[in-house]
Amino acid sequence: MNADLHCHSTVSDGWLEPVEVVRRAKANGVDLLALTDHDELGGLALAAAAAAESGVGFVAGVEVSVSFAGETIHIVGLGIDPGNPDLIAGLRQVRAGRDARARRMSEALAAVGIAGALEGAHRFARNPALVSRAHFARHLVASGVMPDVRTVFDHYLVRGKPGFVEHEWASLEDAVGWIVGAGGIAVVAHPARYRLSAADMTRLLDRFVAAGGEAIEVVSGAHSDDEMRRFATVARQRGLLASRASDFHGEKESPVDLGRCNLLPSDLTPVWSRLI
Ligand code: AMP
Ligand code: MN
Ligand code: MN
Ligand code: MN
């Protein structure tokens, strides 16, 4: 089973339209695909229709932005009902915060001599309700400020750098609650990417499970092999379901293509055992 349960389309900060994501997944041999745009469900209907047409198994997903212990955490929801009113309302609220944050980011960049960043980011954001740091980064690359997206993040868009602004996303309990309430399985996305102390990571997983969370990305396009082994151990110790996820955004920006991730360690219970 080639499952890839986390990726992005133009509905958030991916480069491909939802239908193009499905086509690429099909071409790469993906059997089961979840589209998980940031804080948005708008691509799911088109992707599901394209998947049904091309014979790719499809899971409706979302990646919710959460604030926890001063860090941004991403919680993926898999197998959600995209029509669930509480999920829709919750995500609308999270997206509304993005607007104000994008304006503050633009002001912060203007203060270090980079004018017009909000307009620039909007040129890369196909969904005006979903401006991500990735869109700012693409604009700064296109306007010649920095050579590539990774370098923009390192110099401007991470905590302590001039274009970073603190922002309060959803609470962990709300995000997991919306997902579970919509019939989905909540998954901790790319756990190795968070700058949390060991104690805060333990608290994150305790509260995630207490709120009804059940799964963790063991294999992620954002994980090294060592990180994969570390979180395989976490999944075993806590009895969590394991997910496999490229987190694909586009050919130029993503280290791992759709469906091309490592295999899950064979003793773990794959999250897709509950999705098919
Ligand atoms: P936001 O949700 O607006 O904070 O943007 C987060 C998005 O920015 C992530 O989903 C990635 O697409 C991208 N991103 C975050 N950190 C990096 C990085 N170091 N290099 C490249 N892209 C990044
Ligand atoms: Mn992204
Ligand atoms: Mn993420
Ligand atoms: Mn993602």
Side-chain angles (χ1 to χ4, degrees), residues 23-47:
R23 270 196 217 121
R24 189 178 184 95
K26 171 78 180 175
N28 286 2
V30 173
D31 303 306
L32 187 67
L33 177 74
L35 178 65
T36 57
D37 276 308
H38 297 285
D39 309 319
E40 256 286 10
L41 307 172
L44 295 176
L46 284 171

Side-chain angles (χ1 to χ4, degrees), residues 80 97 125 127 149 185 191 225 274:
I80 46 157
N127 175 0
V149 160
I185 299 176
D225 289 357
R274 294 267 303 280

Side-chain angles (χ1 to χ4, degrees), residues 22-178:
V22 172
R23 270 196 217 121
R24 189 178 184 95
K26 171 78 180 175
N28 286 2
V30 173
D31 303 306
L32 187 67
L33 177 74
L35 178 65
T36 57
D37 276 308
H38 297 285
D39 309 319
E40 256 286 10
L41 307 172
L44 295 176
L46 284 171
E53 203 174 295
S54 53
V56 175
F58 186 74
V59 172
V62 66
E63 182 174 20
V64 185
S65 310
V66 162
S67 293
F68 179 89
E71 179 72 329
T72 298
I73 303 296
H74 286 166
I75 302 294
V76 160
L78 297 175
I80 46 157
D81 167 12
N84 181 271
D86 290 341
L87 175 64
I88 290 171
L91 295 177
R92 184 181 300 127
Q93 194 187 316
V94 178
R95 287 196 302 274
R98 280 187 176 271
D99 251 7
R101 171 197 189 230
R103 281 194 297 276
R104 289 193 294 137
M105 284 178 63
S106 189
E107 286 161 14
L109 288 167
V112 294
I114 299 172
L118 183 61
E119 296 71 22
H122 269 287
R123 279 197 288 277
F124 284 89
R126 302 286 289 279
N127 175 0
L130 208 296
V131 177
S132 137
R133 282 182 293 161
H135 300 118
F136 278 90
R138 289 166 196 167
H139 164 65
L140 265 60
V141 172
S143 55
V145 174
M146 289 272 128
D148 57 60
V149 160
R150 177 150 295 277
T151 314
V152 179
F153 270 88
D154 291 348
H155 286 77
Y156 287 100
L157 300 181
V158 293
R159 177 171 284 113
K161 299 299 174 180
F164 182 85
V165 300
E166 294 293 342
H167 184 73
E168 195 65 21
W169 301 104
S171 75
L172 178 63
E173 281 74 15
D174 278 352
V176 174
W178 296 332

Side-chain angles (χ1 to χ4, degrees), residues 6 8 12-14 38 63 74 132 134 138 247 249:
H6 177 163
H8 298 273
S12 64
D13 56 6
H38 297 285
E63 182 174 20
H74 286 166
S132 137
R138 289 166 196 167
D247 201 1
H249 284 70

